[in-house]
Amino acid sequence: MLFGLLSAYFPPLNAEIYAIAAPVIFPETWALHVAAMTAGLVAGKMTHFVAAAKGAEAYTRRREAKEAREAQEAADQRRTVGPVRERLTRWSKAMIDVLDRPRLGPLVMLASSGIGFPPLAVVTVAAGIKRVSAVTFLAVTTIGCLARFLATSWLVSHGVSLGH
């Protein structure tokens, strides 16, 4: 659990690495360890979510000025980045823009936590700012992260057992 919590605050402690290592280090109890790590990660993400939600009012006041700057920066960036990166940036922004919608929002959160796109760190803060239900965020993020990490560990576990 501690590794997951720390990985929410310190990205070099990558939760995916833990999910890969758990079946090797804990061959009999890897699923329990991955579930505990996921609980820690989601708990850490919830603190980011709450902090973003609390800062939403200040964000709203500054948003108009920031959007004008970002529009200019985006125009400048389009001139310097390739078409693939520009397309990924556009898709990420479009996905984040729908976070507060009742059906699309949870799907974006599930994609983010389940496959990592758009990045969960970005979605967490954006969901807090957009005042997404904390219960919805917690449930969907837990399901997505748990599924991703268990699937990763399961693949490693079966690869390790095939090798013996």
Side-chain angles (χ1 to χ4, degrees):
M1 187 164 183
L2 181 59
F3 188 94
L5 184 63
L6 291 174
S7 73
Y9 295 104
F10 190 61
L13 292 177
N14 193 304
E16 284 80 3
I17 298 300
Y18 189 94
I20 291 169
V24 176
I25 298 169
F26 310 107
E28 301 298 320
T29 59
W30 61 264
L32 179 63
H33 285 271
V34 169
M37 182 275 300
T38 301
L41 175 73
V42 173
K45 293 297 180 185
M46 282 303 297
T47 65
H48 297 168
F49 174 90
V50 169
K54 296 233 181 242
E57 284 185 33
Y59 172 81
T60 301
R61 288 191 297 269
R62 290 186 227 133
R63 183 171 44 188
E64 289 179 359
K66 185 178 179 184
E67 284 177 354
R69 281 193 312 270
E70 287 176 351
Q72 183 58 47
E73 289 171 6
D76 293 344
Q77 188 178 29
R78 269 185 244 118
R79 292 183 206 112
T80 61
V81 299
V84 172
R85 184 169 178 187
E86 182 181 340
R87 188 173 302 139
L88 287 173
T89 301
R90 210 172 41 243
W91 287 346
S92 286
K93 183 180 180 334
M95 292 173 83
I96 288 168
D97 285 345
V98 300
L99 279 173
D100 53 356
R101 294 194 184 160
R103 290 193 180 103
L104 291 175
L107 288 176
V108 170
M109 289 180 272
L110 187 61
S112 177
S113 59
I115 63 171
F117 183 80
L120 185 56
V122 174
V123 169
T124 298
V125 172
I129 289 169
K130 289 185 166 270
R131 297 190 175 118
V132 170
S133 160
V135 172
T136 300
F137 178 80
L138 177 64
V140 172
T141 302
T142 300
I143 290 165
C145 286
L146 189 58
R148 177 175 64 177
F149 298 142
L150 285 175
T152 300
S153 292
W154 182 85
L155 289 170
V156 171
S157 172
H158 280 69
V160 170
S161 27
L162 292 175
H164 286 85

